[in-house]
Amino acid sequence: MSIVNSLSPRAIQAPESGIVEVVNYARGRDGLLPLWVGEGDLPTPDFVNQAAMTALSAGETFYTYQRGIPELRQALSDYYARHFGINLPVEHFFVTGSGMQAIQIAVQAMTSPGDELVYLTPAWPNIAAALEIAGARSVGVQLDFEGGKWAVDLDRIAAAITPKTKALFINTPSNPTGWTATREDLASILGLARKHGLWIMADEIYARYYFPGDRAASFLDVMEAGDKVMFVNSFSKNWSMTGWRVGWIVAPPETGQVLENLIQYSTSGVAQFMQRGAVAALNEGDAFVQANIDKARRSRDILCDALIATNRVQTLKPDGALYAFLKIDGVTDSRKAAIDIVDKTGVGLAPGTAFGPGGELFLRACFLRDPAQIQTAADRLCDYILKL
Ligand SMILES: Cc1ncc(COP(=O)(O)O)c(C=O)c1O
């Protein structure tokens, strides 16, 4: 038996990320416009960095609270009061080492090996992979795509629920499609979960990136105390902190000891000086987040208007999240197309094959960048598309 084959089958079978594969192919090329991963072009703002550096210099380098420092849990509670109009005491909040780790902890908390979790596809690939590594099974339910718009079919979700189903994973606004659930969608999904005794894992990390209004509808708007909803979230996108790897969970306080234990036996908590940066992001970062949202809206318009005008791309402007998900006439293999596009135009896109059933023919472009750069990317892509 080879060394690799002696590892756990679950670990060996975890797929290489189809996004990272293309990034690795062309990373670091001159003049590259990297729209392939979900991050903006700005580094973390200085007021956040300073708070972390001050804490580091002051010797905040010891083990810390598993659930997060009290100041950060309070800042999260205040953030929800400001932006979601809801009063959630600090006992609801748990600080994690990224949104991705929030998902891992939620998966561990909700599922046992052999259990099923229903999620909507096309989807960010990490949810299914995290689940399979934990020994549970991901059951994809496709969103409908018509006239450039994505929509959920609730009967299809209901039909996917079996006695083994433990949870529904709902990412709204969605990466990569931009599909954004209405309040009514969320109420119906919650109704399904209540009827079948399921958990909802709510990934609303793009809730503030909602272009028709202030924020997207949230399960917080429709749920009641006692509902089994666990939110996974992240500092990555709002505050330009992708490299920090800090996120959080919002969960019923009754789950507190279980979540604390899962954190203890994974990271044992997020570095305290980084949590100080996160406190500054929440308490002083409203203007920065708003500037990011405004930039995303302008850049979305530039990219989508230009691509739609070619008459060779099926897409509408997404209502939410940070991505244009493009079906280009003539593209039959999005992995090959992503490689060809980066070779010929220097624009890095993520292939739709990475996002599971329903996404195969699409390419994803992240538009959280300076509008001038997005204009250049749009010009190069339109040129390429019109020559196809
Ligand atoms: C839908 C969704 N959930 C969670 C995450 C995780 O974010 P992070 O691990 O950077 O905090 C991402 C990142 O792209 C995402 O798109």
Side-chain angles (χ1 to χ4, degrees), residues 19 37-39 96-103 123-127 169 171-176 203-206 232-237 241-248 321 323 355 364:
I19 308 171
V37 296
E39 66 185 347
T96 59
S98 76
M100 184 62 229
Q101 204 225 353
I103 290 174
W124 187 55
N126 293 31
I127 174 64
F169 176 84
N171 168 218
T172 170
S174 143
N175 171 10
D203 181 337
E204 300 184 356
I205 84 165
Y206 299 104
V232 292
N233 216 313
S234 169
F235 285 86
S236 287
K237 319 286 173 172
M241 291 170 69
T242 48
W244 286 59
R245 320 308 302 132
V246 188
W248 74 88
Y323 310 97
F355 302 97
R364 189 194 71 174

Side-chain angles (χ1 to χ4, degrees), residues 39-361:
E39 66 185 347
D41 52 349
L42 287 185
T44 303
D46 204 44
F47 64 90
V48 176
N49 298 338
Q50 286 302 333
M53 287 190 279
T54 302
L56 200 48
S57 303
E60 294 196 24
T61 55
F62 294 94
Y63 286 135
T64 187
Y65 296 84
Q66 284 72 17
R67 300 185 193 199
I69 58 174
E71 295 85 345
L72 181 49
R73 298 175 82 201
Q74 184 60 52
L76 283 163
S77 174
D78 296 344
Y79 175 79
Y80 277 88
R82 278 201 311 283
H83 295 288
F84 290 80
I86 187 165
N87 174 29
L88 290 171
V90 292
E91 291 74 25
H92 288 260
F93 296 98
F94 303 85
V95 178
T96 59
S98 76
M100 184 62 229
Q101 204 225 353
I103 290 174
Q104 279 172 326
I105 299 271
V107 162
Q108 286 171 13
M110 292 176 191
T111 63
S112 304
D115 286 343
E116 295 175 359
L117 174 145
V118 173
Y119 72 116
L120 303 176
T121 72
W124 187 55
N126 293 31
I127 174 64
L131 203 74
E132 305 276 341
I133 289 170
R137 218 168 69 77
S138 57
V139 178
V141 168
Q142 279 195 38
L143 293 167
D144 286 325
F145 180 68
E146 253 174 51
K149 221 163 166 60
W150 296 87
V152 67
D153 180 339
L154 292 163
D155 292 339
R156 215 176 288 156
I157 300 183
I161 295 171
T162 75
K164 289 189 173 162
T165 310
K166 272 290 164 62
L168 308 176
F169 176 84
I170 304 294
N171 168 218
T172 170
S174 143
N175 171 10
T177 60
W179 168 74
T180 304
T182 61
R183 229 181 136 107
E184 294 69 39
D185 290 332
L186 296 177
S188 306
I189 293 169
L190 183 61
L192 262 182
R194 283 178 181 157
K195 181 172 161 203
H196 294 274
L198 307 177
W199 271 94
I200 289 177
M201 197 191 305
D203 181 337
E204 300 184 356
I205 84 165
Y206 299 104
R208 304 283 310 283
Y209 288 101
Y210 177 66
F211 306 111
D214 275 350
R215 64 161 174 88
S218 163
F219 277 107
L220 290 169
D221 302 325
V222 294
M223 63 189 275
E224 287 168 10
D227 275 323
K228 296 198 293 182
V229 183
M230 199 177 285
F231 297 83
V232 292
N233 216 313
S234 169
F235 285 86
S236 287
K237 319 286 173 172
N238 287 359
W239 295 276
S240 298
M241 291 170 69
T242 48
W244 286 59
R245 320 308 302 132
V246 188
W248 74 88
I249 287 174
V250 187
E254 300 92 303
T255 63
Q257 190 59 49
V258 173
L259 295 183
E260 175 179 318
N261 296 345
L262 292 173
I263 293 169
Q264 171 62 11
Y265 302 126
S266 49
T267 58
S268 303
V270 172
Q272 187 162 314
F273 62 89
M274 299 214 301
Q275 295 196 50
R276 295 283 180 210
V279 170
L282 289 165
N283 289 348
E284 300 163 43
D286 279 356
F288 181 83
V289 176
Q290 192 55 52
N292 256 345
I293 296 167
D294 293 343
K295 181 163 78 171
R297 183 186 283 107
R298 277 205 308 282
S299 292
R300 172 197 72 148
D301 289 350
I302 291 168
L303 184 64
C304 293
D305 285 344
L307 292 168
I308 292 167
T310 63
N311 280 325
R312 307 217 46 204
V313 180
Q314 290 178 49
T315 192
L316 289 179
K317 289 185 200 179
D319 282 344
L322 297 173
Y323 310 97
F325 203 45
L326 312 167
K327 191 164 184 216
I328 301 171
D329 292 352
V331 167
T332 52
D333 180 335
S334 63
R335 190 184 153 277
K336 263 200 195 140
I339 301 269
D340 194 48
I341 289 171
V342 75
D343 280 345
K344 294 199 175 126
T345 71
V347 179
L349 300 181
T353 41
F355 302 97
E360 296 86 349
L361 296 178

